[in-house]
Amino acid sequence: MVPTSILKAITVFLSATAVTAQNAGSQQSETHPKMSWKRCTGTGGSSCSNVSGELVIDANWRWLHAKGGYTNCYDGNKWNETACATNAQCTSNCEIEGADYTKTYGITASSDALTLKFITKGEYATNIGSRVYLMKDSSNYEMFKLVGNEFTFDVDLSQLPCGLNGALYFVSMPQKGQGKAGAKYGTGYCDAQCARDLKYIDGEANAEGWEASSNDPNAGVGKKGACCAEMDVWEANSISTALTPHSCQPEGYSVCEGTGCGGTYSGDRYAGTCDANGCDFNPYRVGVKDFYGKGMTVDTSKTMTVVTQFIGSGTGLTELKRFYVQGGKVISNPEPTVEGMTGNSITQQWCDTQQKVFQEEVYPFNEHGGMASMGKGMDLGMVLVMSLWDDHYANMLWLDSIYPTDSDPDKPGAARGSCDITSGVPADVESNSANAQVKFSNIKFGPIGSTFAAPS
Ligand SMILES: *[C@@H]1O[C@H](CO)[C@@H](O)[C@H](O)[C@H]1NC(C)=O
Ligand SMILES: *[C@@H]1O[C@H](CO)[C@@H](O)[C@H](O)[C@H]1NC(C)=O
């Protein structure tokens, strides 16, 4: 999971003195959109009860300004070097502002559904994509323990072309977020790329050593990064989809520095404590090219139900199983057709086989503990993330095209979807697909078999 695009705002002026950590702003009240979901017991989705939840947008998208004033602390892809000469000064001088979810960020929630719009032209700036977390109450994230359970949701991604990713995933973030702003302002993010594009890490500004992005007017890379285990339940557009565990050791929130972070944002992708690649199940990539897409077995021109089972007990995660429900039919994940691979679910052995069949030179999933450490990460409790993003590092080609782009398309594992290798350039998708959106709804969670009528 990768970058973030941010909002810039107005400039007036500054006042700054008091010392506090990661302050919350006071210009705009923070009112979380409400979204209900269901906790299920029993079998077949018949005994589920409503849970009232709320949603919060990640701190990175928010206006950062001088404490009690209007001067930007961060504008475009740069920090104000006066207010933010050091991380400590920056942390105490600046505050993270409340959000107008619909007008500024294109986020709307109603009843049990959430819609994320790709481009939103606001009063002060144009917002690109978003990332939101499910909360239990106004200051705590909802913590999910996935092992032994099943997570089900509906998704409409008919409006997502090549290059966009409407993602639903889990990360081992701290329940209360970080700093004074806390979870209420969407702080505390971490993932298996050891995210370095975050403006705050562990409650402190990440301003020192920040390098502005060369192709993203809203983003940059800081010296520090935040790592933690990541379970990508759903990374998808209307062309391709992937289910991908990313292991980390340690599994929980940990801070990295510079190249040692590894991942997308660092020179050496494999230098860190997390598996940046993951062990993915992408039907197209394992040879089944007519399974997922518009008009296919799972028809992405219509809403579908996505079921993911986290089979195992305690911290012992043994298998990740996927079903789809569409038009009243339950559709199992397909068997791979690539020679040498069998099994329509992710197990440790499935990952081992895929690594060999695809002749991958590296196997970071295993180096960081594989399924065993993924299970431990889940046992810490994970936060549900829903996002819509475009990819300033690899144009999303790892999901929906041939990747690496110079591979022989017939080499097992090279082809991941039918998008062209020239697709997915952020500048193109941002201008050509400004109206793209993804809708997630009808979330259900409970023991295996409790959220839907499984095939017998
Ligand atoms: C940067 O912050 C200083 C105060 O620390 C303020 O005087 C100045 O106007 C800010 N610069 C910009 C470009 O916002
Ligand atoms: C549960 O939530 C849904 C969606 O918000 C709503 O339509 C339904 O009436 C709720 N049911 C109960 C029993 O509260």
Side-chain angles (χ1 to χ4, degrees):
M1 187 54 45
V2 208
T4 47
S5 303
I6 296 93
L7 190 80
K8 39 187 175 161
I10 41 175
T11 304
V12 186
F13 63 89
L14 168 99
S15 79
T17 33
V19 180
T20 29
Q22 202 173 21
N23 306 299
S26 49
Q27 314 284 357
Q28 157 94 48
S29 67
E30 173 65 11
T31 309
H32 296 148
K34 304 274 188 273
M35 186 186 74
S36 70
W37 57 282
K38 291 189 175 73
R39 207 179 270 287
C40 302
T41 55
T43 56
S46 55
S47 32
C48 301
S49 53
N50 277 355
V51 181
S52 350
E54 38 194 271
L55 299 160
V56 62
I57 186 168
D58 184 275
N60 240 33
W61 271 259
R62 296 169 183 271
W63 177 32
L64 298 184
H65 61 81
K67 215 169 156 210
Y70 294 89
T71 311
N72 292 325
C73 279
Y74 178 98
D75 192 8
N77 55 20
K78 293 187 184 71
W79 291 89
N80 176 329
E81 287 176 9
T82 315
C84 291
T86 68
N87 287 345
Q89 276 172 17
C90 192
T91 308
S92 72
N93 286 342
C94 304
E95 58 191 26
I96 305 176
E97 199 45 75
D100 183 331
Y101 282 78
T102 305
K103 276 206 206 122
T104 308
Y105 301 104
I107 296 169
T108 49
S110 66
S111 167
D112 66 352
L114 164 70
T115 301
L116 305 177
K117 287 196 184 312
F118 183 39
I119 305 287
T120 307
K121 289 204 157 62
E123 195 177 345
Y124 304 113
T126 296
N127 180 67
I128 302 166
S130 56
R131 181 165 73 217
V132 303
Y133 310 118
L134 180 66
M135 305 190 79
K136 184 167 96 172
D137 54 43
S138 64
S139 52
N140 288 278
Y141 296 126
E142 183 71 56
M143 303 305 282
F144 288 89
K145 293 230 178 173
L146 297 174
V147 180
N149 289 307
E150 178 176 288
F151 187 92
T152 293
F153 62 99
D154 291 354
V155 62
D156 177 351
L157 39 61
S158 55
Q159 306 299 310
L160 295 186
C162 296
L164 284 187
N165 188 337
L168 181 150
Y169 60 107
F170 290 92
V171 287
S172 310
M173 285 166 70
Q175 175 163 15
K176 294 196 170 296
Q178 286 163 333
K180 277 190 82 178
K184 183 178 179 186
Y185 287 80
T187 64
Y189 185 70
C190 53
D191 67 25
Q193 302 302 328
C194 291
R196 289 175 63 188
D197 62 339
L198 302 173
K199 294 175 209 161
Y200 287 85
I201 300 278
D202 206 10
E204 214 190 43
N206 194 18
E208 290 170 30
W210 185 265
E211 287 179 24
S213 165
S214 60
N215 72 347
D216 187 339
N218 295 314
V221 168
K223 200 152 91 181
K224 292 184 186 170
C227 318
C228 65
E230 173 177 345
M231 177 64 235
D232 293 337
V233 169
W234 189 250
E235 292 199 277
N237 52 36
S238 60
I239 296 91
S240 286
T241 186
L243 164 68
T244 314
H246 292 263
S247 56
C248 288
Q249 281 174 327
E251 293 82 10
Y253 191 96
S254 81
V255 177
C256 61
E257 220 174 285
T259 317
C261 290
T264 302
Y265 309 95
S266 304
D268 179 356
R269 185 173 175 83
Y270 306 109
T273 56
C274 290
D275 161 28
N277 294 3
C279 165
D280 64 308
F281 197 116
N282 169 340
Y284 194 102
R285 196 175 181 214
V286 295
V288 195
K289 300 187 175 176
D290 59 357
F291 178 74
Y292 178 93
K294 292 200 170 169
M296 298 191 186
T297 309
V298 172
D299 184 357
T300 58
S301 63
K302 298 178 181 135
T303 298
M304 67 189 78
T305 301
V306 180
V307 182
T308 311
Q309 297 180 330
F310 304 90
I311 296 171
S313 62
T315 66
L317 173 69
T318 54
E319 186 178 9
L320 299 165
K321 250 179 129 152
R322 163 64 49 81
F323 297 94
Y324 298 87
V325 186
Q326 199 175 40
K329 277 197 317 202
V330 176
I331 304 163
S332 295
N333 221 20
E335 281 285 332
T337 58
V338 163
E339 206 178 310
M341 290 193 69
T342 54
N344 70 346
S345 63
I346 296 179
T347 61
Q348 182 63 49
Q349 200 203 326
W350 194 89
C351 298
D352 296 349
T353 307
Q354 176 166 261
Q355 193 264 339
K356 288 194 192 84
V357 170
F358 290 175
Q359 299 161 41
E360 303 274 7
E361 283 162 22
V362 292
Y363 193 15
F365 179 64
N366 244 30
E367 277 163 37
H368 301 291
M371 290 288 271
S373 82
M374 195 69 237
K376 284 185 196 155
M378 289 177 175
D379 195 53
L380 296 173
M382 289 186 137
V383 174
L384 172 63
V385 186
M386 288 172 279
S387 72
L388 177 57
W389 59 287
D390 60 355
D391 179 357
H392 288 262
Y393 288 84
N395 301 345
M396 219 67 83
L397 301 172
W398 54 270
L399 175 67
D400 60 22
S401 183
I402 292 156
Y403 195 79
T405 52
D406 59 0
S407 323
D408 172 356
D410 295 326
K411 178 185 180 249
R416 295 123 191 275
S418 59
C419 298
D420 197 86
I421 56 169
T422 61
S423 70
V425 176
D428 297 342
V429 291
E430 286 166 21
S431 62
N432 299 335
S433 306
N435 292 324
Q437 62 173 50
V438 62
K439 182 177 180 182
F440 295 106
S441 60
N442 200 19
I443 289 173
K444 296 178 187 171
F445 178 70
I448 305 288
S450 67
T451 69
F452 85 120
S456 48

